[in-house]
Structures are given as C-alpha cells and as structure tokens.
Amino acid sequence: MPQLGGGGGSGDDLGATDEMLAFKDEGEQEEKIPQGGFPERDLADLKSSLVNESEGAGSSGQAGSGPGQTEALRRAQNSQRLYQDKLPDALEEGLKAQDGSGVGMYKESVYSGYNLLVHYPANGVSAGAGAGAGAGAGSGTGAGAGTGAGAVSGAGQPLHAKPGQPSHGVPQITPLYEHFSSHQTHVSADINQKQGVHRPLQTTDISSFYSLSPGGVGQISHTMGWFTHPSLMLGSGMHTTGIPHPAIVPHSGKQELQHYDRGLKPPSEAKQEKEAKKPTIKKPLNAFMLYMKEMRAKVIAECTLKESAAINQILGRRWHALSREEQAKYYELARKERQLHMQLYPGWSARDNYGKKKRRSREKHQESNTGEKLKGLEECLSTLQVTRENEVFLESLEEGLQDPGSPKKCRARFGLNQQTDWCGPCRRKKKCIRYLQGEGEGRCTSPVSSDGSAIDSPPSPLDSLQYIRPAFTPDQLTSPTDFTHRPPSCPFSLSLHLKPTPHGVGLPAR
DNA sequence: ACCCCTTTGAAGTCT
DNA sequence: AGACTTCAAAGGGGT
C-alpha cells in the first residue's frame, strides 16, 4: 500500500497510518450493478454509479422483493425516483466539470470546500454568523441548500482562485493561509512564536472541516485560535483568545456524566459538576469524514434526499469511486488534521472519548433499575433479618456488579488485622486507607479519601453496596461455595458465606 | 429528548 | 497480532 507521503520525508510520520486502501469496485459488491461496472470512471460509470447509489438502500429488497415491501424499501425507492429526477442535472454538472482530467465532477467541490474553509464551518450555526465570519471573503453563504454545508457548494469560486488558476483538484492551501493571515490583524505573529506552536502553512485551513456543535460557542474564525498554545485553553471550547476551536465541544447538559447525579448525591457532587462542564475534545476527522463533510451538501442538492443514512451510503459509494489521487487529497488533509489536532491538544487521546456513548446509554439502562435494586436489596436484608448496621458482607449481587477486589484480600495485602481491620473502601472511612487512596494493587471502583470525598470517580449506588461490611469475623467466612443464603423472595444472588456454627448454618448471633 | 441509521478510517480495547 | 469496538459527521425517523 502506498503511503501518502504528506509533506515529504520531513520526519512527520503522523500520518504513517494513512494508506490508500485497495477498495473494491462497485461491481464487486453485493448489490447488482449493471455490467460495465466502475473500473473506468467515465460518464456512463458515473451515471450508473449515481443510479446505484440511490438503489443502494433498497437494492437487496428489490432482489428479494417478496410479497411484502418494507417501508424502508418504499422509502428508498421514493428516494431513487427523486434522485433520478435530479439525475440529468447531475450529469450535466458532471459534463460541465469534466474536462478530460478524469476527476472533473469533484473539482468544484474541492475548491468549494476550501472556500468554506475561509468561512467558519457553517454547520449548525446561523448563516448570519457564517457570513460575519467570512466577511472578507465576499462569497458568503450564497445559494447553499439551506444547511451550513450548503454553503460548501453554494459558493461558486474558490476564494482565492485566480482567474485561470489550474483546476487540478488539489486543494490550494497557501492562498487560504494568506487570506487567513490578512485577517489576523490583532493576533500578532510573535504570539505564535511565543507560544511555541508553529503551524506549517499547509496545516492552516484543514481544521475548518470541524463543525461546532449546535450548542457550541460563538461563531468566530477559529483559525485564530491556532495561534494560541493549547495548554492555555480555557473551558467551554475556548482558547485564551476566547476563540473556540471546533474540536472542542462544551457539554450541553445532555452529555456525559449526567447519569451520575440522578437520585444519588455523592459527596463529590461539585467535582462532578465541574467535570461535566469540561468540554469534550472531539476526534479529528478522518479522510472519509472530511470528504463527507465537503460533499454532503452536494449530494443532498442532487438527490433531494435528506436522510443522512441514505446520503452516507451514496457518499460511501462515491468515495470508492474516487480515483486514488482524489482520495489522496483527503488522506492528506486528514493527516494534517490529526497533526494539527495533536498540536492543539497534546495530551488528548481518542481514549478520552472512548466508551462514552455506549457507557452513557448502558448506564442509563442500568440506572433505570438501580432504584429497584436498591429497594430490593433493602427488602432482602430485611428478609434476612440483617440490616446495614449488622453489616452483612455482600459477596455478590446478581448482575451489573464487578468484583472490586474483596476486602479480605485487601486486608491480607496490607497486613491488616483480619479480626479488626475491616476494609471498607467506599464510604467507609476506617481502615485500609492505603487501599482507599488507590495505592493497592487491586482496584477499588469507588476510591474515597479518608474524609469521605471521592478520589476518582463518584461511587455508584451499586459500588457502595458491594462494600457493606461483613458482620462476621473472617473465620466465619468461607469460600463462596460453602453456603448461599438466598431467600426465595430475594431478587438478588445475595450470598452470605458463612461457616457452619455450633448452632447450625445460618446467621450467627452477634 | 435521545437513540438509530449509515458510511469509512483511526484508534482504542479485547482475546 | 489480529479481531472487535467505538467515535468522529449528519439529520431525518422512530420511540
């Protein structure tokens, strides 16, 4: 696989993973495509490609078109009709653009995309704001499809496209940088130097592909923010200049961590709130995402489709239909985008956002029955005629609990007295402070400091339940298999691990 | 209000 | 190491 050697062998290997992936021609894919296929991307190919694109959503349905057509299929076919209605226009456009270089159809878009770069991405932001940001650009928000992205195709001429500029389809970045520079009236160059962020010219405009979230901060040409050292960034997506960067998305309230403060009021509430206000730094866009962002409006305009899923299918097909050279542009952009992102957020890792979405929905579901579980637990304890004051050792609950490492092990690890030094991480101030403070090898899911405040993450209700302290001395505890007391009414696998006593197996009299 | 869909690529985690 | 998972964008549709 050829590497897309970005700016040459300058030691910049940030894009080392960028590869031109061998893609299957459309004909190789599962859907039935008129023979002739796509290998040669001539006009006929383009047409069939476009038709197939619309077919994409419903192609399988057609093949197996049984008696019952699904709604999805109908929708897809409607889309196809609409799209085919539009097809002549698209072809005409393709013809216009096609000048023999083989990549004509996308040329304008590429430039247009860069035109957009000058205006801050209009997605989700008012057109007025966009126009303001691009005031000097002149082309403004023109005839876009109404969406911010519409401005991409809405602008006719690239901002700095000089008359007669060769339209080879390769983004011309330097002129944009010049344009950008001309607007940096109050951000002096020495700031850049002082802050130690040296942005190569070529990387200047790429990040404009980022969009601000609808709830994001104001609309200011973010490029100015690039002249500010990332470590000085303020919260809410601001740099010290007060200028937002599109990759920084302030939490909108519906975002992460919200789940922690429902019902429970952990001691670290303030900390959580603080954390909730921390802006999310989004991943840099990959090549395909950049391509999508640029071409979406065009496809929407051509196909009169609005469903993003369908649009994305089309874009996916078009992506595969792109020549290597065309794709290379986006790989290169993506590489620079990552590079810039890395410069702006040195400590950031994709890990920071990893699992957030899933976790959020998972915990939401879990949460919904947390209350029930708590209630059920109380009932269980009541059934067992023990109370929290009796400090029953809950070895396990049925589901949703992970083993945090048993207090018993913890005691042993730190040489604590098995008789008296009960480990009580999570809401238990006494004993085993080292474990509480996270020094232990075992993990405590809810470490708390000796004053009871959370060290790391706020304890979930279930976490705290795991550490209901045993009322029994260690010699009364046995392996989990010895005895399980589970009243029929108890919804949990509440296991009390007790050794038989002279009075028989069961709850010891204490 | 919020998740799903749908795409590709990058980067994460898991086995 | 390779397989699998998650998240980036987008916005209509569904619950």
Side-chain angles (χ1 to χ4, degrees):
Chain A
M1 296 289 173
Q3 294 270 342
L4 295 174
S10 61
D12 168 20
D13 57 352
L14 290 169
T17 53
D18 279 345
E19 285 185 349
M20 291 294 299
L21 301 177
F23 53 81
K24 290 179 183 175
D25 283 324
E26 295 292 322
E28 295 177 34
Q29 302 196 352
E30 68 285 358
E31 61 278 324
K32 45 192 181 66
I33 291 171
Q35 299 70 1
F38 293 87
E40 308 87 30
R41 272 172 282 280
D42 55 19
L43 193 56
D45 291 338
L46 182 61
K47 179 178 177 179
S48 65
S49 141
L50 291 174
V51 172
N52 277 296
E53 281 161 3
S54 287
E55 279 178 352
S59 61
S60 58
Q62 193 180 10
S65 66
Q69 262 192 339
T70 65
E71 180 61 31
L73 179 55
R74 274 198 302 276
R75 277 209 309 267
Q77 288 176 336
N78 283 338
S79 301
Q80 179 178 337
R81 276 196 299 276
L82 288 166
Y83 185 50
Q84 283 170 331
D85 289 343
K86 285 277 178 181
L87 191 56
D89 294 338
L91 291 174
E92 190 181 1
E93 187 181 350
L95 277 169
K96 270 190 247 170
Q98 204 173 35
D99 62 358
S101 65
V103 292
M105 177 130 186
Y106 301 107
K107 281 176 186 169
E108 181 188 339
S109 308
V110 169
Y111 275 123
S112 300
Y114 273 84
N115 195 5
L116 174 69
L117 298 182
V118 180
H119 314 287
Y120 197 81
N123 308 43
V125 194
S126 75
S139 52
T141 49
T147 66
V152 177
S153 55
Q157 281 287 325
L159 188 65
H160 286 274
K162 296 167 181 122
Q165 183 177 16
S167 68
H168 45 66
V170 177
Q172 301 300 300
I173 298 174
T174 302
L176 287 173
Y177 173 78
E178 287 166 2
H179 166 79
F180 163 63
S181 299
S182 71
H183 287 72
Q184 300 303 305
T185 51
H186 48 284
V187 181
S188 61
D190 61 359
I191 293 179
N192 187 18
Q193 287 164 359
K194 278 176 190 168
Q195 301 294 354
V197 177
H198 304 287
R199 290 184 43 74
L201 298 188
Q202 289 188 328
T203 65
T204 300
D205 299 297
I206 302 155
S207 272
S208 294
F209 280 104
Y210 284 130
S211 71
L212 280 173
S213 69
V217 281
Q219 177 76 2
I220 309 171
S221 175
H222 75 293
T223 47
M224 297 169 74
W226 287 343
F227 287 83
T228 305
H229 193 283
S231 66
L232 298 177
M233 271 172 30
L234 307 174
S236 310
M238 293 286 182
H239 285 250
T240 42
T241 54
I243 296 162
H245 187 279
I248 309 172
V249 179
H251 287 273
S252 58
K254 65 177 182 178
Q255 292 276 335
E256 289 77 18
L257 297 174
Q258 193 184 35
H259 46 275
Y260 280 126
D261 49 28
R262 281 190 214 140
L264 278 189
K265 293 269 181 184
S268 56
E269 195 175 350
K271 189 182 174 186
Q272 288 169 37
E273 280 178 19
K274 201 173 164 188
E275 196 141 300
K277 284 177 186 168
K278 262 196 331 197
T280 298
I281 298 172
K282 300 259 182 177
K283 289 173 74 172
L285 304 188
N286 64 38
F288 179 69
M289 288 293 155
L290 292 171
Y291 172 75
M292 280 212 311
K293 199 154 187 169
E294 184 183 320
M295 299 303 289
R296 170 178 300 279
K298 190 167 189 171
V299 173
I300 289 174
E302 286 172 0
C303 310
T304 65
L305 279 173
K306 282 191 173 178
E307 283 181 62
S308 286
I311 299 289
N312 292 349
Q313 279 188 341
I314 293 172
L315 286 168
R317 287 162 164 267
R318 286 195 180 184
W319 174 253
H320 285 303
L322 285 183
S323 68
R324 289 193 158 216
E325 291 73 25
E326 284 287 329
Q327 285 190 343
K329 289 182 314 197
Y330 295 96
Y331 282 113
E332 177 65 8
L333 286 174
R335 188 187 68 81
K336 288 172 177 169
E337 186 74 334
R338 286 196 304 277
Q339 186 180 5
L340 172 67
H341 196 275
M342 202 177 283
Q343 286 178 350
L344 287 174
Y345 320 113
W348 184 88
S349 155
R351 182 191 300 155
D352 297 352
N353 299 344
Y354 200 83
K356 275 187 177 176
K357 275 188 182 174
K358 287 274 177 179
R359 204 185 308 140
R360 203 161 53 222
S361 80
R362 220 182 292 135
E363 284 176 358
K364 204 173 174 184
H365 287 108
Q366 205 173 18
E367 217 172 78
S368 66
N369 55 27
T370 290
E372 290 172 27
K373 284 198 172 187
L374 279 168
K375 197 175 165 190
L377 177 70
E378 295 296 345
E379 287 171 8
C380 277
L381 294 176
S382 169
T383 305
L384 290 167
Q385 295 190 316
V386 292
T387 64
R388 286 173 188 256
E389 285 67 43
N390 284 337
E391 294 176 330
V392 174
F393 180 27
L394 270 178
E395 177 68 16
S396 65
L397 288 176
E398 194 160 20
E399 283 177 355
L401 293 182
Q402 43 189 331
D403 175 20
S406 76
K408 201 172 176 181
K409 286 178 186 169
C410 182
R411 283 194 307 271
R413 184 176 299 124
F414 295 110
L416 300 176
N417 188 316
Q418 295 284 337
Q419 296 290 331
T420 59
D421 290 339
W422 290 91
C423 174
C426 312
R427 302 191 173 182
R428 302 274 174 185
K429 295 180 185 177
K430 49 187 168 184
K431 317 298 189 249
C432 201
I433 294 303
R434 280 181 296 177
Y435 190 99
L436 292 180
Q437 291 175 340
E439 292 179 20
E441 292 169 13
R443 66 203 163 94
C444 176
T445 54
S446 306
V448 293
S449 65
S450 56
D451 66 358
S453 61
I455 290 174
D456 198 354
S457 55
S460 74
L462 293 178
D463 286 337
S464 64
L465 287 180
Q466 292 176 84
Y467 282 101
I468 294 175
R469 209 181 97 192
F472 317 108
T473 59
D475 59 0
Q476 287 178 296
L477 294 168
T478 66
S479 75
T481 54
D482 283 347
F483 176 70
T484 298
H485 185 96
R486 183 178 185 181
S489 62
C490 181
F492 302 106
S493 297
L494 177 61
S495 305
L496 299 177
H497 305 143
L498 306 176
K499 278 181 180 174
T501 69
H503 314 291
V505 174
L507 297 173
R510 293 209 80 191

